[in-house]
Amino acid sequence: MKNHSRFIHARRALIFWTLFIGLGAVLGALGMLIDPSGEAMGMDAMLPYFSVLPFSDILFCDLTFSGIALLIVNGLTNLTAAVLLFMKKRAGVVLGGIFGITLMLWICIQFYMFPPNFMSTIYFIFGFIQAATGYAAWIFLKQETYTVNISDYPGIGRDPRRLVVFFSRMGYVRRAAYEEADRTGAVLYEIKATERTEGTLGFLWCGRFGMHRWDMPIEDTIPDLTEYEHVTICTPVWVFSLCPPVRAFCRAAAGKIKTPDYIILHHTRGEYTNVSGEMDALLGTHGTVTRNIRCHTGVFRNAAKENPEHAKAK
């Protein structure tokens, strides 16, 4: 797991919610089972509202069935998810999110049965937060366990006249760059930012650079670009624009690249001609081909879509 892990923070938050909801449900269920009349907890006045449910005359004469249902649906389930999360099992992440949805559905039944009340509303919000935390933890886990091995691409470096340049924060652009270099035999050059890009703080810091369209400082290790006949630049899209470290590279590479083409990775279906156009303007040349790849948490949704001679279409 990475040093600055968003998954670890999300997992800890999900552990809190599963324990909070699970223990609360177990205690509530035990109270109902110990005193099915509900008098001890002041819940006896709620029993008439159960008459709107099917089989109310059989199942809801007292709180016994409700206690058993609460124990199973929201108590033992969440505690099981918490145990799995403590054991660092993927199933705990999935179940923790699912049981947040289960809680919301449980509260929806209460909305149907009872008049508007604070407890039902606040627990619906708790369920939503738990479900959102579970989803975030799952996404972060997929992102942070994504790996690309250069040994799987033996064709890289066969043709010293070609260069593939890339910046990759999560590893997705790295895969696209490796595949392109393996296909063409190109040499690889990785752009490395000097700013923090990993973890939650890195994500927010990168978003700040992306929103302001700033250059992000990069390591001063750029090779002599005039030695290459063709250069492929692989970049992610940040905040619907060119990735700031790649922007800094293009500015430093102005007038030095003979023939470029571009591979752009993003989450949407767009073609991002603004990104290829900005690279053209910074480099002082025209890219021959722009290929868009739609990628979501490491899954390449579609093959590279080519937009040849994009400069001529402007």
Side-chain angles (χ1 to χ4, degrees):
M1 200 63 64
K2 296 183 178 181
N3 292 331
H4 307 291
S5 173
R6 290 188 288 170
F7 167 70
I8 289 176
H9 295 303
R11 174 178 158 270
R12 289 171 180 168
L14 192 57
I15 288 174
F16 166 79
W17 285 113
T18 52
L19 287 176
F20 176 76
I21 300 301
L23 290 174
V26 168
L27 293 175
L30 289 177
M32 293 180 187
L33 295 175
I34 292 171
D35 179 21
S37 69
E39 293 181 6
M41 296 188 296
M43 297 180 62
D44 51 317
M46 300 172 61
L47 281 173
Y49 292 106
F50 285 87
S51 61
V52 299
L53 297 177
F55 308 108
S56 58
D57 55 335
I58 300 174
L59 299 177
F60 301 108
C61 296
D62 55 28
L63 296 177
T64 301
F65 181 80
S66 298
I68 294 172
L70 179 62
L71 180 66
I72 295 173
V73 175
N74 291 317
L76 298 179
T77 50
N78 275 286
L79 294 181
T80 300
V83 170
L84 292 172
L85 286 166
F86 276 117
M87 295 172 64
K88 300 182 180 180
K89 301 293 186 180
R90 285 178 179 245
V93 176
V94 177
L95 293 176
I98 290 175
F99 296 150
I101 297 173
T102 302
L103 176 58
M104 287 192 289
L105 295 174
W106 177 275
I107 298 301
C108 284
I109 297 174
Q110 294 188 10
F111 287 152
Y112 173 70
M113 292 166 45
F114 305 138
N117 63 90
F118 173 78
M119 289 299 293
S120 294
T121 302
I122 196 65
Y123 268 86
F124 184 87
I125 294 172
F126 289 162
F128 176 80
I129 295 174
Q130 180 180 340
T133 304
Y135 177 74
W138 174 245
I139 293 298
F140 296 156
L141 178 62
K142 291 179 67 177
Q143 290 177 337
E144 294 176 18
T145 55
Y146 184 81
T147 58
V148 182
N149 297 314
I150 196 169
S151 59
D152 295 331
Y153 303 92
I156 294 175
R158 294 193 322 267
D159 187 351
R161 298 169 302 171
R162 298 182 68 98
L163 177 69
V164 171
V165 177
F166 72 95
F167 174 82
S168 183
R169 196 177 76 89
M170 303 303 301
Y172 312 143
V173 180
R174 182 184 302 277
R175 171 184 159 181
Y178 283 5
E179 289 179 351
E180 178 66 9
D182 185 60
R183 183 182 70 83
T184 62
V187 180
L188 284 169
Y189 169 67
E190 180 179 1
I191 302 169
K192 295 184 178 180
T194 58
E195 298 283 341
R196 178 174 178 174
T197 61
E198 291 188 341
T200 301
L201 293 179
F203 171 77
L204 296 174
W205 193 242
C206 291
R208 180 171 179 261
F209 275 84
M211 285 190 296
H212 290 283
R213 308 295 192 264
W214 293 339
D215 292 7
M216 180 175 282
I218 60 176
E219 293 183 2
D220 187 19
T221 57
I222 300 176
D224 184 358
L225 299 170
T226 60
E227 295 182 355
Y228 300 96
E229 294 296 327
H230 191 95
V231 177
T232 300
I233 300 176
C234 304
T235 179
V237 172
W238 288 7
V239 197
F240 305 104
S241 65
L242 179 62
C243 171
V246 178
R247 180 180 291 116
F249 167 83
C250 290
R251 200 179 301 279
K256 300 177 183 178
I257 296 178
K258 299 174 184 177
T259 310
D261 69 312
Y262 311 130
I263 296 177
I264 303 173
L265 270 76
H266 45 81
H267 292 252
T268 69
R269 299 178 183 274
E271 294 186 4
Y272 289 95
T273 56
N274 62 309
V275 173
S276 56
E278 183 176 357
M279 286 191 283
D280 277 352
L282 291 170
L283 293 172
T285 185
H286 295 305
T288 56
V289 175
T290 297
R291 281 167 286 176
N292 282 269
I293 300 177
R294 186 181 175 213
C295 176
H296 184 67
T297 60
V299 178
F300 284 46
R301 300 285 183 175
N302 57 316
K305 181 177 180 181
E306 296 194 4
N307 182 16
E309 303 293 342
H310 73 271
K312 292 181 180 181
K314 295 179 181 178

